[in-house]
């Protein structure tokens, strides 16, 4: 019984483990199952698999997009305007639109001025006041004029003057026709009297310069020096033609009596 089992074991094939090991010896080669070892090939990039060099690639033609043929102008139907009538000289028409060049002359300035006066009279009669943008100081349709900067007597507070401050004031009022010494700047007065003086001078349309007596950085000591020069204790002070005219009260009174405009015309 033991011999039969041994013979059966010898006749049946035996497996050698590991399956991917080296081949067995020649004595047991007939009864051993051998599986060949497959080595995995290294993957190549697609471009290298296709061609090795860029010069070896063959160009691929790109088909052009079909273009639509241009419409022949002769094949278009005639426009209704051109078949109905002939355009007069000096005008051009196309598909129902007509542009006519007018030979009329531009209206003169007197005609435009008369039309504006008639419109003003009708508006005042209907509403009791002038139309917007037609009153002095009203900037409804146009922007406010740019105000020039204030004058400065010295570049800085710590700059030593080579001439007395009164001499600078005298030169300033004589070289400019109208000079207003005010509190604050021309664009932002610091008191209502200075603001009123600036408004009166701008309403008269006269060119004038302003000096800020509160600017101690560029007009250091001006307030006391100006009081001595003009013998006037308050501000603002307005000079015309090198002479002191007065302050806010005098300027306002002269404007109401139309004396200020006459003074500017001298």
């Amino acid at each position: 019984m033991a011999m039969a089992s041994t013979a059966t074991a010898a006749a049946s094939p035996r497996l050698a483990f590991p399956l991917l090991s080296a081949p067995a010896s020649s004595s047991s080669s007939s009864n051993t199952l051998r599986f060949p070892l497959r080595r995995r090939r290294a993957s190549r990039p697609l471009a290298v698999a296709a061609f090795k060099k860029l010069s070896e690639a063959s160009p691929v033609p790109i088909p052009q997009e079909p273009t639509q043929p241009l419409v022949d102008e002769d094949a278009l139907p005639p426009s209704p305007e051109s078949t109905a009538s002939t355009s007069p000289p000096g005008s051009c028409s196309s598909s129902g639109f007509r542009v006519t060049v007018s030979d009329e002359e531009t209206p003169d300035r007197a005609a435009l001025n008369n039309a504006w006066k008639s419109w003003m009279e009708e508006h005042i009669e209907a509403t009791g006041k002038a139309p917007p943008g037609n009153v002095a100081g009203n900037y409804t349709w146009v922007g406010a004029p740019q105000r020039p900067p204030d004058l400065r007597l010295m570049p800085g507070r710590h700059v030593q003057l080579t001439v007395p401050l009164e001499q600078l004031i005298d030169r300033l009022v004589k070289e400019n026709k109208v000079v207003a010494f005010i509190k604050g700047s021309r664009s932002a007065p610091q008191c209502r009297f200075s603001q009123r003086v600036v408004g009166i001078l701008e309403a008269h349309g006269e060119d004038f310069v302003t000096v800020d007596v509160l600017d101690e950085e560029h007009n250091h000591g001006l307030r006391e020096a100006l009081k001595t020069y003009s013998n006037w204790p308050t501000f603002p002070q307005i000079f015309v033609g090198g002479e002191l005219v007065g302050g806010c009260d005098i300027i306002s009174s002269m404007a109401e009596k139309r004396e200020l405009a006459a003074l500017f015309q001298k």
Side-chain angles (χ1 to χ4, degrees):
M1 189 67 177
M3 295 177 60
S5 61
T6 302
T8 304
S12 60
R14 58 189 179 88
L15 298 177
F17 295 96
L19 297 179
L20 300 179
S21 61
S25 60
S26 58
S27 60
S28 60
S29 60
S30 58
N31 296 327
T32 303
L33 296 178
R34 292 192 299 271
F35 296 90
L37 180 62
R38 295 183 179 180
R39 297 180 180 272
R40 189 173 184 181
R41 296 181 180 180
S43 60
R44 296 181 179 181
L46 295 178
V48 177
F51 47 86
K52 296 180 180 180
K53 297 181 180 180
L54 185 62
S55 59
E56 296 178 1
S58 58
V60 179
I62 300 176
Q64 297 182 356
E65 297 181 359
T67 57
Q68 297 180 356
L70 298 177
V71 181
D72 189 4
E73 295 182 358
D74 297 336
L76 294 176
S79 60
E81 182 80 15
S82 60
T83 56
S85 61
T86 304
S87 301
S91 65
C92 59
S93 62
S94 175
S95 302
F97 294 93
R98 174 176 294 177
V99 179
T100 304
V101 180
S102 176
D103 295 333
E104 298 180 0
E105 297 181 358
T106 305
D108 56 357
R109 189 179 185 86
L112 293 176
N113 194 19
N114 292 333
W116 174 78
K117 288 182 178 180
S118 301
W119 170 69
M120 287 282 293
E121 293 174 355
E122 293 177 0
H123 192 280
I124 294 175
E125 183 179 357
T127 62
K129 57 183 179 180
N134 291 272
V135 182
N138 188 299
Y139 305 108
T140 301
W141 310 118
V142 295
Q146 296 294 331
R147 295 175 175 176
D150 304 308
L151 294 184
R152 296 174 176 177
L153 298 182
M154 58 188 68
R157 182 172 185 174
H158 303 288
V159 177
Q160 186 68 27
L161 296 178
T162 58
V163 295
L165 189 56
E166 289 79 4
Q167 186 175 347
L168 291 179
I169 297 174
D170 184 72
R171 184 187 305 175
L172 176 64
V173 298
K174 290 180 178 179
E175 291 180 354
N176 298 274
K177 183 178 179 180
V178 182
V179 182
F181 294 92
I182 61 176
K183 292 183 178 180
S185 63
R186 181 172 180 173
S187 58
Q190 298 299 315
C191 70
R192 59 188 182 92
F193 301 107
S194 298
Q195 184 178 9
R196 180 168 176 77
V197 166
V198 171
I200 292 174
L201 296 178
E202 289 183 345
H204 281 73
E206 187 70 24
D207 292 335
F208 66 98
V209 296
T210 56
V211 183
D212 184 6
V213 297
L214 299 181
D215 187 1
E216 288 295 328
E217 179 65 26
H218 301 94
N219 300 322
H220 179 64
L222 176 61
R223 296 180 64 182
E224 298 302 324
L226 186 59
K227 291 179 182 179
T228 304
Y229 175 82
S230 63
N231 195 22
W232 194 268
T234 59
F235 296 97
Q237 297 183 16
I238 294 84
F239 288 77
V240 178
E243 299 293 335
L244 175 66
V245 177
C248 179
D249 294 338
I250 296 178
I251 293 297
S252 300
S253 177
M254 293 180 64
E256 293 176 358
K257 298 177 182 179
R258 302 182 183 275
E259 296 176 356
L260 190 60
L263 179 63
F264 290 153
Q265 293 177 0
K266 292 182 179 181

